[in-house]
Amino acid sequence: MDAEFWVYFGTFQWNVPILNSKPESSQVPSSRKPPRPNQRKRPTILDVARRAGVSKSLVSLVIRGDARVSPSNRGAVLEAVAELGYRPNAMARGLVQRRTRMVGVVVSDLSNPFFGDVVSGIQRRARELEYTVLFSTGDRQQDLEVEAIESLLELRVDGLILAGPRIEFETIEGFGRSAPLVVLHRPTADDWSDSVTNDDPKGAQIAVEHCASLGHTRIAHIDGGPGAGAQARREGYEQAMHRLGLERHILVVTGGFTEKPGRRGAQELLSRRPLPTAVFAANDLCALGALNAFEESGLTIPEDISLLGYDNTSVAALRHVSLTSIHQPSVRMGRMAVDRLFERIDKGRTEPRHDVVSPSLVVRDTTGPVPGGGE
Amino acid sequence: MDAEFWVYFGTFQWNVPILNSKPESSQVPSSRKPPRPNQRKRPTILDVARRAGVSKSLVSLVIRGDARVSPSNRGAVLEAVAELGYRPNAMARGLVQRRTRMVGVVVSDLSNPFFGDVVSGIQRRARELEYTVLFSTGDRQQDLEVEAIESLLELRVDGLILAGPRIEFETIEGFGRSAPLVVLHRPTADDWSDSVTNDDPKGAQIAVEHCASLGHTRIAHIDGGPGAGAQARREGYEQAMHRLGLERHILVVTGGFTEKPGRRGAQELLSRRPLPTAVFAANDLCALGALNAFEESGLTIPEDISLLGYDNTSVAALRHVSLTSIHQPSVRMGRMAVDRLFERIDKGRTEPRHDVVSPSLVVRDTTGPVPGGGE
DNA sequence: TCGAGCGATTGGAACGTTCCAATTTCAGGC
DNA sequence: GCCTGAAATTGGAACGTTCCAATCGCTCGA
């Protein structure tokens, strides 16, 4: 068996395989062998140059779109390029230019629809700035997430965006020392990274105030459990309740960021008396779990209980669901992340910047006036 | 303004910017300027070698985990690596090795929850085979999709997986000539690429048979419009209806793969008399749109109308939705795609292989017996 | 007719690795 | 003390680009 040896020094982490004396026995399936050239040898800039009868430098100029090349030579080169099926080698280019015009994006969970919009914003802004985006994901596991980041850094991306990272803060800070880094959806406060987050306490406040404006007083909260954003939303809820003079109605039960814990949280709420008339859930999926539990127990939404989610995912927008939710401007946040990176990479900014954007309320069909006039 | 000039030759496509005589005026914002080295110079293998008092070759051996290095030297090198915060440069390595151990995955639409599982399968299998996965997406646009693929190929990924590509068949075939290529969720039949698809006609047949087994005869279909998989599902539906002797009940209305067209399709169905008692929609989102339209018109599901989706996405599984659907083994399909790639890259397979996996039925709460005994 | 000046073109030196063949080191047997 | 061979280590040549300074070839004015 191979041993794994972790070198850890300061803020830097990297794993080195240590083999035992038996050489390539327990290695990868069988693949360290001579890599069979499946495809025929790829043409290089030199092949193009030969074919076009010019120097490699001239080919390079044409490829980069330099204006000083004579039309005839440009034509000849382009022709040779097409004939040979030449495709520039980004590695060679990156090596000499020492920059890649690539940004790496690590998404903690690609299957969460919430990240779709973020990714879309990143993609579009990056394109405007002529950057290429490479995504990677830890598939919900911390160690894979670190591996993904490492790979991207080894590829020498010019900058890194971590969308909702699940890894430890110290690790993140270490990466920030290696490359320009923007953290999305999770606040950082160090000198090495930027962050773009939404104002969770504010969002919670908006949710509570919406309920209050509909006459609700017994407003409960199903929280996000141990998750990162959970605390901020819970505290926002509590503060808002205080501010409205509803502190004696504060009621928080444990939930989570997916359907099942939301369901369980709601079931716990159902055992309390008097029942709350409005429930603010940690996020949309959590709210959906709650919705299900309420419906099963014979309550109707929003007549008996009003329900709010958070994140305004595509699921909340489905008309069959039509969940009132707190919206984060995800697309814009994605764009902002790229802008922060751009400032560091191309404008030379070095002082950290931490942006907080405001959430907003999207009223749909799961919230309504308090039944029977409250209390 | 910059002009864009497309070189197209045979199966190869690549865009070359052509500048007008004014040099760097209307260029990118301002970024072609000297790239400011935001971070301090990165240590190279030579720095490590100097610090550890050994040759660069020895450092290279340690990093790659070669067993022949003496323990003392290994220790010294590792120490130097940690002290300097050295991270190997994948570009330099890839350049000389002429392989990268990276596979590129282009997902047509990252916000579609359907691809979450596929990606997960790809990710896990790739990790087992010690490949790194790089994702990219066209964000639903054809030209961006091509750009994404180009970028990955310029990076010299060892292989490429296209998940539900929206680009033309000829273009795909061209890419298959440049690198090992697996197409997911869309059949190909050429000699240059492999494909992994689900058996759409079979899935449609299962859906229809499920309805029939519940006593339904007036089974309608809301199709996927002009989309790629739409045709196969529609034809599967029609064939199954024939086989069951229900050809006179065949009823297809135009829909699409998202909620809105599904809604419209359902509305059209509602104008037909007699109403169908079961509806098979092109996919889950389409079915959700239909569900909404039916509910709005006062029908209850499944008492008045049974409803089926396709793809068995996470949305269908939400208990509040609980949509009967046709399941594709997405995770497995992702794994298979990586395996096909591996066979081409490391095993030297060259003959194409086209796998078709079987879909299956997931019964939930939107299908039930035919109301009143049919006809 | 000649050089100045300018645009177009070129060859060589990087970039940071791995690979390979060659060299050094060292233990052990005679 | 020397030779042998294996193990450990090494320097130089790739890999495919871009960058830079230098050169080439014209046109034009004196």
Side-chain angles (χ1 to χ4, degrees):
Chain A
M1 288 282 95
D2 298 2
E4 284 227 316
F5 180 30
W6 280 80
V7 183
Y8 187 87
F9 184 82
T11 61
F12 172 79
Q13 223 178 116
W14 177 56
N15 68 335
V16 179
I18 308 241
L19 304 186
N20 53 7
S21 9
K22 304 252 185 337
E24 56 269 1
S25 63
S26 58
Q27 275 295 72
V28 198
S30 72
S31 50
R32 287 277 161 87
K33 300 292 169 56
R36 191 101 62 94
N38 195 6
Q39 245 62 19
R40 73 182 185 292
K41 189 180 175 304
R42 288 218 174 81
T44 75
I45 208 172
L46 276 174
D47 299 315
V48 176
R50 258 192 298 275
R51 178 148 198 144
V54 297
S55 73
K56 60 174 177 29
S57 305
L58 210 245
V59 175
S60 176
L61 288 175
V62 172
I63 286 165
R64 284 174 291 152
D66 193 293
R68 305 171 281 190
V69 183
S70 73
S72 66
N73 269 342
R74 179 194 306 282
V77 168
L78 255 23
E79 199 176 322
V81 161
E83 284 171 8
L84 295 175
Y86 168 77
R87 195 186 325 264
N89 184 323
M91 296 188 297
R93 174 181 300 183
L95 198 54
V96 42
Q97 293 198 141
R98 310 171 90 211
R99 91 201 296 291
T100 51
R101 285 204 92 77
M102 299 189 304
V103 316
V105 177
V106 178
V107 182
S108 60
D109 181 5
L110 265 184
S111 67
N112 186 337
F114 174 63
F115 288 114
D117 291 339
V118 179
V119 162
S120 195
I122 291 175
Q123 187 91 341
R124 284 186 224 159
R125 184 61 181 143
R127 191 175 138 86
E128 289 170 14
L129 297 173
E130 298 199 346
Y131 274 86
T132 297
V133 184
L134 293 180
F135 294 97
S136 202
T137 167
D139 205 25
R140 276 163 287 211
Q141 289 156 268
Q142 279 201 9
D143 53 338
L144 298 197
E145 200 167 314
V146 172
E147 273 181 33
I149 297 173
E150 284 291 349
S151 299
L152 254 12
L153 288 175
E154 291 187 0
L155 263 180
R156 296 295 188 265
V157 292
D158 291 338
L160 206 51
I161 296 175
L162 306 184
R166 312 206 164 177
I167 55 182
E168 289 159 24
F169 179 72
E170 292 74 28
T171 319
I172 293 180
E173 194 179 348
F175 289 130
R177 248 170 260 254
S178 322
L181 175 69
V182 178
V183 179
L184 260 170
H185 298 289
R186 182 168 156 189
T188 62
D190 61 291
D191 284 355
W192 299 95
S193 63
D194 301 328
S195 66
V196 179
T197 51
N198 105 94
D199 191 341
D200 275 325
K202 177 84 173 296
Q205 179 191 334
I206 292 174
V208 171
E209 285 172 355
H210 171 60
C211 294
S213 77
L214 290 167
H216 295 272
T217 52
R218 295 200 304 276
I219 305 165
H221 177 53
I222 304 177
D223 78 0
Q231 197 188 346
R233 291 176 191 182
R234 185 173 52 240
E235 289 172 4
Y237 157 80
E238 287 167 354
Q239 283 166 20
M241 291 295 276
H242 269 108
R243 212 166 307 144
L244 291 167
L246 300 174
E247 54 274 353
R248 68 203 167 95
H249 294 301
I250 287 177
L251 174 54
V252 178
V253 296
T254 303
F257 283 130
T258 51
E259 198 186 4
K260 241 183 221 148
R263 203 176 138 75
R264 268 199 297 272
Q267 281 159 346
E268 190 186 333
L269 281 182
L270 286 171
S271 70
R272 305 295 182 92
R273 287 294 176 278
L275 279 182
T277 61
V279 174
F280 165 48
N283 75 353
D284 288 348
L285 283 179
C286 177
L288 249 73
L291 176 59
N292 183 244
F294 292 150
E295 280 177 343
E296 273 188 354
S297 77
L299 298 170
T300 58
I301 311 287
E303 287 74 15
D304 296 321
I305 287 194
S306 284
L307 184 61
L308 292 90
Y310 205 117
D311 289 346
N312 189 31
T313 55
S314 56
V315 178
L318 289 173
R319 302 193 46 160
H320 176 67
V321 175
S322 197
L323 177 72
T324 296
S325 188
I326 304 296
H327 174 77
Q328 303 188 40
S330 311
V331 175
R332 189 155 70 87
M333 291 172 79
R335 295 185 69 94
M336 286 173 73
V338 177
D339 280 328
R340 294 297 87 77
L341 231 36
F342 184 72
E343 289 160 14
R344 279 193 187 256
I345 298 169
D346 288 11
K347 303 264 161 71
R349 173 167 66 78
T350 54
E351 72 286 2
R353 189 172 152 177
H354 299 282
D355 291 296
V356 179
V357 303
S358 290
S360 56
L361 177 71
V362 178
V363 180
R364 294 204 183 85
D365 301 333
T366 56
T367 47
V370 63
E375 291 280 315
Chain B
M1 291 281 96
D2 297 2
E4 285 226 315
F5 181 29
W6 281 81
V7 183
Y8 186 88
F9 186 82
T11 62
F12 171 80
Q13 220 176 119
W14 176 54
N15 68 334
V16 180
I18 309 239
L19 304 187
N20 53 7
S21 10
K22 304 253 186 335
E24 57 267 359
S25 63
S26 58
Q27 274 296 74
V28 197
S30 73
S31 49
R32 287 276 161 87
K33 301 292 170 54
R36 191 101 62 93
N38 195 9
Q39 246 62 18
R40 74 180 185 291
K41 189 180 173 306
R42 289 218 173 83
T44 74
I45 208 172
L46 276 173
D47 299 315
V48 176
R50 257 191 300 275
R51 179 146 198 147
V54 296
S55 74
K56 60 174 179 26
S57 305
L58 211 244
V59 175
S60 176
L61 288 175
V62 172
I63 286 165
R64 283 174 292 152
D66 193 294
R68 311 171 276 192
V69 182
S70 73
S72 66
N73 269 343
R74 180 195 305 282
V77 168
L78 256 22
E79 198 176 322
V81 161
E83 284 171 9
L84 294 175
Y86 168 78
R87 193 185 326 264
N89 185 323
M91 296 188 296
R93 173 181 304 186
L95 198 54
V96 45
Q97 294 199 140
R98 310 168 91 212
R99 75 164 7 262
T100 51
R101 285 203 91 78
M102 300 189 304
V103 316
V105 177
V106 178
V107 182
S108 60
D109 181 5
L110 266 184
S111 67
N112 186 337
F114 172 64
F115 288 114
D117 290 338
V118 179
V119 161
S120 196
I122 292 176
Q123 187 92 342
R124 283 186 225 157
R125 184 61 181 143
R127 191 175 138 85
E128 289 169 13
L129 297 173
E130 297 200 345
Y131 275 86
T132 296
V133 184
L134 293 179
F135 294 97
S136 200
T137 166
D139 204 24
R140 274 163 288 211
Q141 289 157 266
Q142 279 202 8
D143 52 337
L144 298 196
E145 200 168 313
V146 172
E147 273 182 31
I149 297 173
E150 284 291 348
S151 299
L152 255 11
L153 287 176
E154 290 186 3
L155 264 181
R156 296 294 189 266
V157 292
D158 291 338
L160 205 51
I161 296 176
L162 306 184
R166 313 205 164 179
I167 55 182
E168 288 158 25
F169 179 73
E170 292 74 28
T171 320
I172 293 180
E173 194 179 348
F175 289 130
R177 248 171 259 255
S178 323
L181 174 70
V182 178
V183 179
L184 259 170
H185 298 289
R186 182 169 156 189
T188 62
D190 61 294
D191 284 355
W192 298 95
S193 62
D194 301 329
S195 66
V196 179
T197 51
N198 105 93
D199 191 341
D200 276 325
K202 177 84 173 295
Q205 178 191 336
I206 293 174
V208 171
E209 284 173 355
H210 172 59
C211 294
S213 76
L214 289 168
H216 295 271
T217 52
R218 294 201 303 277
I219 306 165
H221 177 53
I222 304 177
D223 78 0
Q231 198 189 344
R233 291 176 192 183
R234 185 173 53 240
E235 288 172 4
Y237 157 80
E238 287 167 356
Q239 282 165 22
M241 291 295 277
H242 269 108
R243 211 166 308 145
L244 292 168
L246 299 174
E247 54 275 354
R248 67 203 167 97
H249 293 300
I250 287 178
L251 174 55
V252 178
V253 296
T254 303
F257 284 131
T258 51
E259 199 187 5
K260 245 185 217 143
R263 203 174 138 74
R264 268 198 298 272
Q267 281 160 347
E268 190 186 333
L269 281 183
L270 286 171
S271 69
R272 304 296 181 92
R273 286 296 175 280
L275 279 181
T277 60
V279 173
F280 165 48
N283 75 353
D284 288 348
L285 284 179
C286 178
L288 252 74
L291 176 59
N292 183 244
F294 292 149
E295 280 177 340
E296 274 188 352
S297 76
L299 297 171
T300 59
I301 312 286
E303 287 74 14
D304 297 321
I305 288 195
S306 284
L307 185 62
L308 292 89
Y310 204 118
D311 289 346
N312 189 29
T313 55
S314 55
V315 179
L318 289 173
R319 303 192 47 156
H320 175 67
V321 175
S322 198
L323 176 72
T324 296
S325 189
I326 304 295
H327 174 77
Q328 303 188 40
S330 312
V331 176
R332 189 157 70 86
M333 291 172 79
R335 296 184 70 93
M336 286 173 73
V338 177
D339 281 328
R340 294 297 88 78
L341 231 37
F342 184 71
E343 289 161 12
R344 279 192 186 258
I345 299 169
D346 289 11
K347 304 261 161 73
R349 173 167 66 78
T350 55
E351 72 286 2
R353 189 171 154 177
H354 300 282
D355 291 297
V356 179
V357 303
S358 290
S360 56
L361 177 71
V362 179
V363 179
R364 294 204 183 84
D365 301 333
T366 56
T367 47
V370 62
E375 288 282 311

